[in-house]
Amino acid sequence: MTSEIKETYLNKLISITDNEYELLADFVYTNIGIDLGSDKKTLVVGRLQKILKKYEFSNFTEYFSYLTKDKTGEALSDLADNISTNHTYFYRESAHFEYFLNKFLPEIESKKKKENSNDYRIWCAGCSSGEEAYMLKILMLEHFAYNYNKLKAGLLATDISSVALSKAQAGKYALDSMNRMPPNYVKKYFNRLEDCYSVKEDLKNDIIFRRFNLITPKFSFKSKFDAIFCRNVMIYFDLETRTNLVNKFYDLLNPGGYLFIGHSETILKGATKYIQIQPALYRKEEQ
Ligand SMILES: C[S@@+](CC[C@H](N)C(=O)[O-])C[C@H]1O[C@@H](n2cnc3c(N)ncnc32)[C@H](O)[C@@H]1O
């Protein structure tokens, strides 16, 4: 094959049949939670060309067979990466961070003192490239200061996308990503490199970044959480998937624990046991 013919071949869009699209959309809904509907066909075909070319599949049936046989979770991660958005930024929906710092942390601290416990558990579910998780850790360090090291504080940050998690673990962010961040936090928690900011080791310490699919049928965690952040993840989930997920979160929260969701996301009234505190902020009942 001459290089010219090869290039034409490589640039040719691989199309999808109605049957292939139906299978793929069904797979995405069952395994990632995203409801593609029929109107996303052109978008999906365009976005998945990269994967088809990378593995040299000549049609979507070959790709689908690879997807369904893969046991490593990498194929699913790659798929999720291409059909959903990882868009995030520091201090996103800042009202939640204000609440976390000014209300949640003082309240949980006095509660833990009464319980004679120093075990604090936070889960950042759908953390993307890490900005939200680092924000939460910054606020915990700000609140507890030198006492932070005496706590058994655990911050779990999960996402389905390996690419997003690698970025989170690397902790390197473009210079303009700090635009919304208070300058004293930037100075205290990041090293300024030539072309980016790099998270200081103290900030990175004891944040556990893990791949985790929120559509996993059963969540098995050893300990319960005091707060769960799952923001801007459920936007593409349908009502049933959202309700199932927030109910699973409910079971994983300590009594009085909080669920923070994205401001454009909703929980159907009456479908869960949460008490709504503010828009996009819910609480499990104290027992
Ligand atoms: C728009 S980002 C939100 C990031 C951050 N929470 C925020 O509010 O800025 C959505 C993230 O959800 C992740 N995601 C989508 N479906 C998921 C699933 N089924 N399980 C886990 N993570 C998922 C995506 O990979 C993406 O990184």
Side-chain angles (χ1 to χ4, degrees):
M1 210 187 274
T2 67
S3 62
E4 209 174 302
I5 297 175
K6 196 170 177 193
E7 198 160 305
T8 313
Y9 167 77
L10 285 175
N11 289 334
K12 224 173 96 191
L13 213 64
I14 298 167
S15 60
I16 195 164
T17 65
D18 286 346
N19 185 42
E20 284 169 337
Y21 184 72
E22 218 172 279
L23 286 172
L24 187 68
D26 201 41
F27 181 88
V28 167
Y29 180 69
T30 314
N31 293 280
I32 305 177
I34 296 176
D35 187 8
L36 289 175
S38 52
D39 54 330
K40 300 267 170 33
K41 198 166 162 179
T42 317
L43 187 89
V44 169
V45 169
R47 289 203 178 168
L48 295 182
Q49 294 296 312
K50 221 173 33 189
I51 306 184
L52 267 78
K53 282 179 184 154
K54 179 170 149 197
Y55 293 101
E56 299 185 357
F57 296 129
S58 47
N59 53 52
F60 273 90
T61 300
E62 284 178 19
Y63 171 54
F64 191 69
S65 156
Y66 153 77
L67 200 55
T68 47
K69 283 186 189 133
D70 176 67
K71 298 272 181 281
T72 64
E74 269 311 313
L76 194 65
S77 156
D78 243 13
L79 173 64
D81 221 29
N82 282 282
I83 56 163
S84 75
T85 167
N86 294 324
H87 180 66
T88 185
Y89 47 90
F90 286 107
Y91 241 91
R92 184 178 197 178
E93 298 180 20
S94 56
H96 277 160
F97 296 118
E98 308 296 337
Y99 192 96
F100 185 79
L101 180 66
N102 300 322
K103 293 250 173 71
F104 170 78
L105 287 172
E107 181 187 303
I108 198 83
E109 186 180 17
S110 69
K111 189 172 160 214
K112 296 280 175 186
K113 274 187 183 149
K114 276 186 211 144
E115 291 169 356
N116 216 4
S117 158
N118 66 353
D119 203 347
Y120 294 77
R121 309 247 152 229
I122 314 291
W123 181 13
C124 179
C127 65
S128 188
S129 36
E131 289 85 336
E132 190 179 42
Y134 287 124
M135 270 316 308
L136 296 174
K137 172 84 188 275
I138 287 175
L139 299 179
M140 289 181 83
L141 289 170
E142 287 295 308
H143 177 78
F144 291 108
Y146 295 111
N147 290 325
Y148 181 87
N149 288 331
K150 297 182 199 150
L151 307 177
K152 252 171 85 188
L155 178 45
L156 174 67
T158 63
D159 202 281
I160 196 171
S161 161
S162 311
V163 174
L165 287 169
S166 304
K167 286 187 192 152
Q169 270 156 332
K172 291 205 165 34
Y173 298 98
L175 296 178
D176 63 3
S177 64
M178 296 298 161
N179 290 349
R180 291 182 183 81
M181 190 75 122
N184 58 322
Y185 290 176
V186 180
K187 207 164 163 218
K188 207 161 155 189
Y189 298 107
F190 296 85
N191 289 316
R192 164 88 203 244
L193 306 182
E194 204 180 313
D195 57 350
C196 68
Y197 282 101
S198 173
V199 167
K200 288 190 181 170
E201 279 314 305
D202 273 5
L203 184 57
K204 222 184 248 185
N205 281 347
D206 64 45
I207 301 184
I208 300 170
F209 288 106
R210 285 275 181 287
R211 193 167 68 197
F212 184 79
N213 184 357
L214 293 166
I215 299 307
T216 307
K218 259 200 164 160
F219 288 3
S220 33
F221 291 90
K222 275 193 218 123
S223 315
K224 296 210 169 182
F225 296 95
D226 300 302
I228 298 176
F229 277 69
C230 184
R231 306 187 312 157
N232 305 301
V233 179
M234 299 185 283
I235 319 171
Y236 305 110
F237 294 178
D238 66 5
L239 182 64
E240 189 185 342
T241 311
R242 275 200 315 267
T243 307
N244 279 338
L245 182 57
V246 296
N247 279 330
K248 281 191 203 157
F249 287 150
Y250 192 91
D251 294 337
L252 277 175
L253 280 169
N254 281 323
Y258 287 87
L259 172 67
F260 296 79
I261 65 171
H263 281 85
S264 57
E265 294 162 324
T266 47
I267 290 182
L268 188 68
K269 259 197 181 139
T272 71
K273 292 187 249 167
Y274 289 100
I275 303 157
Q276 183 162 16
I277 305 295
Q278 280 182 6
L281 178 56
Y282 295 82
R283 191 166 190 218
K284 180 169 177 164
E285 240 175 321
E286 290 276 7
Q287 275 160 357

